[in-house]
């Protein structure tokens, strides 16, 4: 087996897929090492317990140290793009200004980034979620917005034809889209990279890297057998937690590693109606808030739902109180508030390589959440909700930071050319480089930055 | 019922805790009656060994408690916002861990052992439609030839 490559990429998620495709297209030999499996239409799990245990780290959810937020960390080729909502939004000026102020990096503005967004959009079908299939959960959101004088808009989603008219319910594609409509990077980049000779080692967890003229990478396969590979250059694409842990476990001394961790904590509120909502029907999500007032105040709303196993952990209480909600799940609508968190968290490695994440909401963040709660309650009650239930805990889906980008090597981990400050041949352009929370769905920008990194710098 | 990951005390503890979250009624069976616990290894197969160790201890201790005491403990755990700040993380961990474990088994759409209602989700009329999966032979072939894992 070949053991030296021009490039090794650790992590085959959103960023890793794009960088891999870009590198093999330039004629380089590339090895992608990914801890998770190759999931695609032929083998997506059909039951929630299987998708939770097989498609995420540590069996589904990892809790922050105060157990307030459940972090959901994808684990498979394609990473988050296989199981995520598929919502693809460009950053606005506010998000880029926040990035530029924090990092000092010049290219964080819409003028420079627009061509990179366009390059991604040319390879990914992004459409407005078709309004004609909006379900009752979405109707309540839209009408509640109108009744309260808020502004909302249809969501932009990476999809081709979800065939909702033939009965497809997109809640099913949270464990992978069976009809290849959702634009995962498996469809848009990995397939093409494989055709051009990308080598992959799936179910391979990288444990340690050794910097040098040739970077060495050590890890374990699914049978716990040790392997080592080397490369002229290494690309870290294992996400916020993955990259931070790997660098710490490899004794990298930069004190900024693992710091500035953000998640856009999301809180779902459920409202009971006296008729069936059937939130699972058709598109899972249709609308987002598009309200400057909300944006300025630091939160956004989306209509959303989740499969029953996930909803069950959000409902409070025990015995009949909880059982009633689950039995009557069809009568519940749900809206989430995602906050643009300002208080950074920190990733550490505990005993036995356990992930430890300290992440608390400070008073600013709590205020943002509470303003979101008020707006959601007003929306629901204006539409005749019998009662509104706050979800039991926060969810962290947008894991960002930990290896933040910046011009100042004493304050950041990655330089403006996507190279680790103190290294010659180790690069990174994934979610871990975010210097703070943009308050906007991150995937499209991760893709644009990865595209820029691979075409200009790596 | 045997598990690769949970010992027999822990399995008993899980049955008891499951019934606190899913007591059952005329239409839907309780957690313990459903027999869903038989799928527990599918759920735990990728959990970290430290967490499984912790689960065995917690559920093992809970298996010794009378059901009424368990109800009180899990009620307190679920009302954790009223507890002292230092106790809240542990309470939340217990609440979410045990609720998550039993409810994921029960509400995942698997077939129960209870012949009167084998499909809980159907009984709840929760019935999302899924179109037939595309057979992606091209990708399948590419994976076979390019993934080192396929050759192990
Ligand atoms: C349920 C859910 C819904 C979401 N919805 C949206 C949405 O609608 N829109 C949006 O913009 N964003 C969404 N997100 C967030 C988005 O998916 C992530 O921001 C994005 O996937 C991050 O990309 P990445 O390349 O940084 O990391 P990832 O895509 O997470 O990829 C990292 C990969 O590295 C692998 N890895 C980690 N450590 C190692 C190691 N040591 N060795 C080998 N491999 C390793 C992981 O297994 C993983 O596959 C959602 C996320 C979730 C979980």
């Amino acid at each position: 087996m070949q053991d030296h490559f021009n490039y090794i990429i650790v992590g085959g998620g959103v960023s890793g897929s794009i960088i891999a495709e870009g590198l093999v297209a330039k004629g380089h030999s590339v090895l992608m090492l990914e801890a998770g499996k190759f999931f695609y239409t032929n083998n997506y799990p059909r039951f929630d317990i299987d998708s939770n245990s097989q498609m995420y780290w540590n069996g589904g959810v990892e809790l922050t140290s105060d157990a307030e937020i459940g972090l959901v960390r994808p684990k498979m080729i394609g990473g988050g793009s296989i199981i995520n909502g598929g919502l693809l939004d460009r950053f606005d000026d506010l998000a880029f200004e926040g990035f530029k102020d924090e990092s000092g990096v010049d290219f964080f503005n819409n003028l420079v980034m627009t061509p990179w967004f366009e390059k991604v959009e040319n390879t990914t079908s992004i459409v407005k979620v078709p309004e004609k299939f909006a379900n009752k959960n979405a109707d309540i959101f839209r009408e509640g917005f109108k009744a309260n004088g808020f502004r909302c808009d249809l969501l932009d989603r990476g999809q081709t034809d979800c065939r909702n008219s033939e009965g497809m319910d997109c809640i099913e594609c949270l464990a992978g889209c069976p009809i290849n409509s959702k634009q995962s990077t498996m469809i848009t980049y990995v397939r093409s990279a494989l055709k051009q000779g990308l080598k992959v080692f799936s179910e391979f967890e990288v444990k340690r890297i050794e910097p040098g003229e040739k970077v060495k990478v050590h890890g374990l396969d699914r049978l716990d057998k040790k392997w080592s590979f080397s490369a002229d250059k290494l690309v870290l694409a294992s996400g916020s937690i993955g990259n931070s842990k790997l660098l710490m476990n490899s004794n990298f001394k930069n004190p900024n590693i693992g710091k500035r961790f953000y998640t856009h904590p999301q809180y779902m509120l459920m409202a009971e109606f006296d008729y069936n909502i059937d939130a699972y029907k058709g598109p899972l999500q249709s609308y987002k808030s598009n309200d400057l007032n909300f944006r300025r105040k630091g939160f956004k709303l989306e209509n959303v739902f989740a499969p029953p196993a996930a909803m069950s952990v959000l409902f409070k209480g025990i015995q009949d109180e909880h059982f009633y909600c689950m039995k009557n799940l069809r009568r519940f609508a749900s809206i989430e508030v995602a906050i643009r968190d300002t208080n950074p968290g920190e990733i550490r490695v505990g005993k036995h390589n356990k992930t430890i994440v300290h992440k608390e909401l400070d008073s600013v963040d709590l205020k943002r959440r509470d303003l979101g709660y008020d707006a959601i309650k007003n929306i629901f009650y204006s539409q005749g909700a019998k009662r509104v239930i706050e979800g039991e805990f926060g969810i962290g889906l947008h894991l960002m930071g930990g290896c933040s980008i910046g011009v100042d090597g004493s304050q950041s981990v990655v330089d403006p050319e996507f190279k680790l400050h103190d290294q010659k041949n180790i690069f990174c352009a994934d979610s871990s480089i975010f210097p703070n929370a943009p308050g906007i769905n991150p995937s499209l920008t991760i893709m644009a930055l990865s595209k820029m990194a691979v075409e200009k710098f790596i | 019922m045997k598990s690769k990951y949970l010992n027999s005390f822990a399995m008993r503890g899980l049955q008891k805790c499951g019934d606190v979250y899913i007591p059952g009624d005329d239409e839907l069976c309780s957690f313990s009656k459903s027999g869903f616990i038989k799928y527990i290894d599918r759920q735990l197969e990728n959990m970290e060994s430290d967490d499984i160790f912790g689960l065995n201890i917690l559920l093992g201790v809970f298996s010794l408690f009378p059901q009424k005491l368990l109800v009180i403990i899990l009620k307190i755990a679920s009302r954790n916002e009223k507890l002292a700040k230092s106790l809240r993380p542990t309470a939340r961990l217990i609440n979410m861990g045990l609720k998550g474990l039993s409810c994921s088994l029960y509400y995942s759409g698997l077939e129960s052992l209870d012949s009167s209602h084998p499909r809980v989700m159907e009984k709840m009329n929760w019935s999302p439609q899924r179109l037939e999966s595309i057979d992606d032979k091209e990708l399948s072939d590419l994976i076979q030839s390019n993934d080192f894992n396929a050759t192990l």
Side-chain angles (χ1 to χ4, degrees):
Chain A
M1 193 184 288
Q2 185 182 347
D3 62 2
H4 181 81
F5 294 81
N6 297 141
Y7 288 86
I8 289 177
I9 301 174
V10 181
V14 171
S15 173
S17 309
I18 292 182
I19 291 177
E21 205 270 345
L23 292 173
V24 288
K26 287 188 195 172
H28 297 296
S29 65
V30 183
L31 173 64
M32 174 190 274
L33 300 171
E34 164 57 52
K37 291 185 186 168
F38 249 115
F39 282 112
Y40 61 115
T41 52
N42 293 32
N43 67 352
Y44 286 137
R46 297 296 297 264
F47 299 104
D48 289 343
I49 60 163
D50 299 325
S51 51
N52 290 344
S53 81
Q54 294 176 31
M55 299 176 113
Y56 296 97
W57 285 82
N58 203 17
V61 179
E62 294 166 304
L63 293 173
T64 52
S65 49
D66 63 1
E68 284 278 1
I69 302 177
L71 306 172
V72 183
R73 190 157 60 109
K75 185 180 184 182
M76 73 211 95
I77 310 274
S81 70
I82 301 277
I83 48 76
N84 72 17
L87 309 176
L88 296 174
D89 296 310
R90 286 189 188 189
F91 277 14
D92 60 8
D93 291 337
L94 196 66
F96 277 135
E97 276 159 25
F99 268 28
K100 182 155 186 276
D101 290 349
E102 188 75 32
S103 65
V105 176
D106 280 341
F107 58 68
F108 285 133
N109 64 71
N110 261 308
L111 199 67
V112 180
M113 287 304 298
T114 295
W116 301 103
F117 281 128
E118 284 169 352
K119 277 178 193 257
V120 174
E121 289 158 359
N122 287 340
T123 54
T124 307
S125 160
I126 304 175
V127 298
K128 295 260 175 231
V129 175
E131 192 157 31
K132 64 179 171 187
F133 299 118
N135 60 26
K136 285 189 196 142
N137 193 31
D139 292 344
I140 287 168
F141 186 95
R142 185 192 56 241
E143 295 308 313
F145 261 66
K146 253 189 231 160
N148 284 279
F150 305 147
R151 287 196 55 190
C152 70
D153 208 346
L154 283 166
L155 286 160
D156 295 290
R157 186 163 188 266
Q159 64 179 56
T160 50
D161 177 7
C162 290
R163 294 163 63 192
N164 299 119
S165 58
E166 293 171 49
M168 179 69 197
D169 293 326
C170 294
I171 197 166
E172 289 289 305
C173 81
L174 289 177
C177 172
I179 54 170
N180 275 349
S181 169
K182 183 160 76 175
Q183 300 285 278
S184 72
T185 54
M186 177 74 86
I187 297 177
T188 51
Y189 291 95
V190 176
R191 184 194 299 272
S192 148
L194 290 169
K195 282 185 190 164
Q196 297 174 74
L198 170 71
K199 292 289 171 203
V200 178
F201 204 146
S202 66
E203 298 186 74
F204 183 99
E205 185 171 346
V206 177
K207 294 287 186 187
R208 201 163 50 83
I209 56 177
E210 266 179 69
E213 262 329 292
K214 290 194 163 92
V215 192
K216 286 196 185 135
V217 178
H218 310 282
L220 296 176
D221 69 15
R222 71 180 146 87
L223 306 169
D224 273 349
K225 185 176 166 211
K226 284 185 191 160
W227 295 81
S228 296
F229 297 96
S230 65
D232 305 324
K233 293 183 180 178
L234 178 73
V235 179
L236 297 175
S238 56
S240 273
I241 295 180
N243 288 345
S244 302
K245 284 182 74 175
L246 189 54
L247 291 174
M248 287 187 239
N249 284 336
S250 307
N251 285 324
F252 280 63
K253 298 291 179 219
N254 186 329
N256 298 297
I257 295 168
K259 304 262 170 65
R260 293 199 191 150
F261 174 70
Y262 298 88
T263 72
H264 290 160
Q266 282 159 265
Y267 296 86
M268 283 168 72
L269 270 69
M270 285 73 70
E272 186 183 2
F273 287 80
D274 50 19
Y275 57 93
N276 287 336
I277 305 292
D278 288 335
Y280 62 77
K281 289 214 159 114
L284 178 62
Q285 297 185 266
S286 293
Y287 298 105
K288 61 180 171 190
S289 56
N290 183 13
D291 196 299
L292 265 185
N293 203 17
F294 290 1
R295 179 79 179 120
R296 273 194 224 106
K297 288 179 176 160
F299 68 90
K300 69 180 174 96
L301 308 184
E302 284 171 13
N303 82 283
V304 73
F305 216 79
M311 293 305 294
S312 67
V313 239
L314 294 173
F315 284 116
K316 289 186 174 158
I318 59 168
Q319 292 187 307
D320 290 341
E321 181 188 2
H322 187 268
F323 193 53
Y324 171 89
C325 295
M326 290 308 295
K327 265 194 79 176
N328 291 287
L329 199 58
R330 297 181 66 198
R331 299 219 234 168
F332 280 91
S334 174
I335 297 177
E336 68 167 29
V337 50
I339 61 170
R340 186 181 185 199
D341 43 338
T342 57
N343 191 34
E346 185 176 347
I347 300 158
R348 289 197 208 142
V349 185
K351 254 206 256 165
H352 304 129
N353 197 28
K354 191 154 183 62
T355 308
I356 299 176
V357 175
H358 296 294
K359 170 78 188 156
E360 285 182 15
L361 270 59
D362 64 6
S363 58
V364 176
D365 293 338
L366 284 171
K367 175 129 195 267
R368 291 175 173 205
R369 184 191 68 181
D370 292 345
L371 286 169
Y373 277 4
D374 290 346
I376 295 175
K377 285 175 186 167
N378 287 335
I379 292 166
F380 278 141
Y381 285 124
S382 73
Q383 298 308 297
K386 280 171 34 180
R387 60 175 172 147
V388 179
I389 301 173
E390 292 172 9
E392 185 123 70
F393 66 105
I395 311 162
L397 304 179
H398 301 170
L399 312 183
M400 304 166 290
C403 297
S404 60
I405 194 168
V407 287
D408 181 353
S410 69
Q411 296 294 318
S412 55
V413 179
V414 172
D415 74 17
E417 298 193 346
F418 299 96
K419 192 166 57 57
L420 263 61
H421 276 296
D422 41 2
Q423 300 296 322
K424 280 199 304 215
N425 52 1
I426 304 180
F427 297 85
C428 179
D430 68 2
S431 54
S432 70
I433 69 167
F434 279 26
N436 54 28
I440 292 183
N441 284 314
S443 287
L444 189 65
T445 305
I446 297 168
M447 294 163 93
L449 289 169
S450 301
K451 197 87 181 147
M452 177 199 240
V454 71
E455 290 195 11
K456 281 184 71 175
F457 300 112
I458 297 183
Chain B
M1 208 79 66
K2 284 218 153 119
S3 159
K4 254 201 295 189
Y5 306 104
L6 295 186
N7 61 39
S8 55
F9 285 102
M11 289 289 272
R12 215 172 310 143
L14 181 57
Q15 291 281 41
K16 287 171 107 175
C17 292
D19 280 351
V20 177
Y21 299 111
I22 304 152
D25 60 11
D26 298 346
E27 290 167 45
L28 292 177
C29 56
S30 64
F31 178 77
S32 57
K33 281 224 181 93
S34 74
F36 281 129
I37 198 167
K38 76 171 176 173
Y39 300 112
I40 187 71
D41 285 356
R42 269 161 74 173
Q43 194 171 18
L44 299 182
E45 67 172 315
N46 289 310
M47 206 176 250
E48 283 172 12
S49 48
D50 277 9
D51 290 348
I52 291 187
F53 179 77
L55 256 181
N56 269 303
I57 293 185
L58 181 73
L59 287 171
V61 172
F62 280 3
S63 75
L64 306 172
F65 290 175
Q67 193 70 10
K68 277 191 180 150
L69 178 59
L70 213 49
V71 169
I72 294 171
I73 293 172
L74 296 183
K75 192 169 202 161
I76 294 171
S78 86
R79 295 267 172 259
N80 54 67
E81 66 275 8
K82 293 186 183 138
L83 295 174
K85 204 173 171 207
S86 58
L87 295 175
R88 270 186 243 157
T90 312
R92 262 197 296 268
L93 205 64
I94 293 174
N95 178 40
M96 264 149 55
L98 299 185
K99 194 184 274 186
L101 219 51
S102 38
C103 289
S104 299
L105 286 166
Y106 192 87
Y107 297 112
S108 262
L110 296 158
E111 198 163 330
S112 86
L113 290 186
D114 183 343
S115 53
S116 56
H117 13 64
R119 293 268 178 205
V120 167
M121 301 317 297
E122 274 171 27
K123 193 90 188 156
M124 283 166 58
N125 285 318
W126 185 267
S127 48
Q129 299 301 302
R130 179 191 173 102
L131 296 180
E132 200 180 320
S133 297
I134 285 173
D135 178 15
D136 199 338
K137 179 147 183 348
E138 180 188 60
L139 196 50
S140 180
D141 291 345
L142 284 166
I143 293 169
Q144 278 306 312
S145 52
N146 291 29
D147 185 3
F148 290 167
N149 188 24
T151 63
L152 290 185

